[in-house]
Amino acid sequence: MASATLLKSSFLPKKSEWGATRQAAAPKPVTVSMVVRAGAYDDELVKTAKTIASPGRGILAMDESNATCGKRLASIGLENTEANRQAYRTLLVTPPGLGQYISGAILFEETLYQSTVDGKKIVDILAEQKIVPGIKVDKGLVPLAGSNNESWCQGLDGLASREAAYYQQGARFAKWRTVVSIPNGPSELAVKEAAWGLARYAAISQDNGLVPIVEPEILLDGEHGIDRTFEVAQKVWAEVFFYMAENNVMFEGILLKPSMVTPGAECKDRATPEQVADYTLKLLHRRIPPAVPGIMFLSGGQSEVEATQNLNAMNQGANPWHVSFSYARALQNTCLKTWGGQAENVKAAQDALLLRAKANSLAQLGKYTSDGEAAEAKEGMFVKNYVY
Amino acid sequence: MSAFVGKYADELIKTAKYIATPGKGILAADESTGTIGKRLASISVENVEPNRQALRELLFTAPGAVQYLSGVILFEETLYQSTAAGTPFVDVLKAGGVVPGIKVDKGTVDIAGTNGETTTQGLDSLGARCAKYYEAGARFAKWRAVLKIGGAGGEPSELAVKQNAEGLARYALICQENGLVPIVEPEILTDGAHDIKTCAAVTERVLAAVYKSLNDHKVLLEGTLLKPNMVTPGSDSPKVGAEVIAEYTVAALRRTVPPAVPGVVFLSGGQSEEEASQNLNAMNKLEVLKPWTLTFSFGRALQQSTIKKWAGKKENVAAAQAAFLARCKANSEATLGKYGGAAAGDAATSESLYVKGYTY
């Protein structure tokens, strides 16, 4: 019998050796060095985070993967080629004076290494615009085994060396987007995994000179009301901060990218900007330590105007952290449509981008008014089961 | 996981905010019978009820002092005591705008299998006791968890941190269910030769665990107060200046305490009266955003000179009360960053109150 053979196996210590083996194996008292974080990039991380979180400014998220960028281009009848992606991204980073309203731009890997048709590096253009280049570093969502049909975010393998290379190329912040789905629970497992993955990514990023943007997106999909979103958001952020603390992440050198607290997209009860602001600020007050310099909200399918109004409502009083935006669709939508892929439309498209950027800049300062907003800008952009 | 909003929610939020009024703080006068006995013994006074009552009456009726106090933590015996003239202490305090509070923990016991680490007892029947105390006039409670920084053992251990954090969270929720604002006190003792950086790292680790537990237990943060240690070098290490203590302490709080918490009411540990005031003052002078009030919840650092001056003698009461007033005023100024320092020649206020292996 197998077990009998195992008992005779030579790898087990002989009885005479037991005492010695046990002593040798006994754990010596460990001097647990209290990890007092003193990373090589600490000062720079704090400075970069503060710069991005400067008054009146926010982030332009333009890190759509090639597949997702393809959808954008398709919506204006363009083929998903590198040349078209290059043309679009060039359009986005070159509007004169964009840096007044935009402090950072999140890039996809291709764009970080791209140049314009004139041979100018995109990262150099951004530097001239006084816009800090950032880089999406996650490798997307995949099914989470053992969960309730939920996802988890991949990307930790080799992350350190990738980020070191991105730093060399000029990136100074990173972004990792994981999701939590309320219709699917969320399960304890999914929340834990989301939070732990973010914490590991944040620690590795800081180790390699990149300010981590921490993004646990609570998806808009669902029929749930705003109270349920509030409940889940409190749970998610409690987990995220605890795991980041366990991973010795330096909070003065991170930025957050939360979803606002709103009803689900299919909930029949809608909320006003004031209600969204109320719930969202309460969430922040209960979960975000003041050491965090900036909270840059994602728009997640809100219309351009909604996203601006909600941000404005949140900035009607003083906050212990910079409360701002990191918008993709809510900054790019009208701009993209205006361009339509035509060279002669570039200026108009850039004006549209500047218009949205300025509106959100004013919203960050609590000074936005929606008079004069075009109807198109009020169009919702929620896509059910949206895949990034 | 929304916070628990029971029938007392509004009152809890209001009380917590009031206790955290800038310019005011807490007198921790909740020494157990055993501990107050040590104080009385130090001035050769017998540990009997009339003497305990006399000391507390001296403190609560000190002319001009209560204006600087927003709360007093009492021991159970004191909650039901009166002045010599027969006025209940809770009424005296309320008349002075001071919220009566009550110590509800039942002391620490060792956690078997650890290197002398402890957990705090007191959860059994806590709800019923809190309800009783609320009826007697108490509106806040206090529960002291204790952790230590060790050497080779790497204390505090994961187990001790978790256990104490969970205990604090259960206590806090039960208090809120029964109308008492919980003061959450995770004290990390100064005993040891560690440097201030180590204390900072441990404090941050402990506070992160405490707030995780409070959040998991759905405690309403707006209706709580935090009573932490200041971040200092160990008692066997060279001292550092108040500004350094202030920087490390405020940094630790900024990294762990959500703005929803209205006030941080520091314990003094074994610091001298003067040290404690100077450190609190330095913290409030720091030009960095602090969304919670930084104030005091001092026991020894408010009472030490007062008790010495009293020495148990009726004829000394006025002088003792004057000493008490001076400390209350000093700490009030410290909460506003306006404290100018002790009067020259007042050696008593600089006396260290550190006791190695101090048990409460």
Side-chain angles (χ1 to χ4, degrees), chain A residues 32-38 242 244-249 251, chain B residues 147-150 154-156 158 161 186 188 194-210 229-234 245 247-253 255-256:
Chain A
V32 176
S33 72
M34 298 299 162
V35 182
V36 181
R37 189 168 189 92
F242 182 61
M244 287 202 292
E246 284 202 310
N247 278 271
N248 298 301
V249 173
F251 295 159
Chain B
L147 293 156
K148 64 172 183 177
I149 298 176
E155 286 85 20
E158 202 41 47
V161 172
I188 301 163
H194 52 271
D195 61 15
I196 193 169
K197 286 200 161 116
T198 302
C199 178
V202 173
T203 302
E204 287 170 26
R205 185 178 143 219
V206 168
L207 290 179
V210 167
N229 51 281
M230 298 185 192
V231 177
T232 67
I245 288 175
E247 268 188 51
Y248 276 95
T249 306
V250 174
L253 298 175
R255 288 171 174 177
T256 54

Side-chain angles (χ1 to χ4, degrees), chain A residues 51-113:
Chain A
T51 300
I52 294 174
S54 48
R57 301 208 294 165
I59 293 176
L60 167 60
M62 44 184 286
D63 58 317
E64 297 84 357
S65 61
N66 287 347
T68 304
C69 196
K71 292 185 197 168
R72 303 277 180 268
L73 296 171
S75 77
I76 53 168
L78 283 188
E79 225 190 310
N80 189 9
T81 61
E82 215 216 303
N84 284 339
R85 294 193 295 272
Q86 175 196 44
Y88 182 49
R89 267 68 184 266
T90 302
L91 185 160
L92 290 178
V93 302
T94 50
L98 186 64
Q100 272 181 87
Y101 315 121
I102 302 295
S103 52
I106 320 178
L107 309 173
F108 182 60
E109 191 182 62
E110 177 189 80
T111 322
L112 184 67
Y113 291 93

Side-chain angles (χ1 to χ4, degrees), chain A residues 22 27 63 96 115 213 222 229 237 246 262-263 338 359 386:
Chain A
R22 279 168 65 85
D63 58 317
S115 301
I213 294 191
T229 307
W237 284 105
E246 284 202 310
T262 67
T338 306
Y386 180 68

Side-chain angles (χ1 to χ4, degrees), chain A residues 6-15 17-18:
Chain A
L6 275 174
L7 284 173
K8 290 203 190 129
S9 174
S10 61
F11 70 80
L12 290 173
K14 299 185 180 44
K15 209 158 182 179
E17 290 171 345
W18 276 19

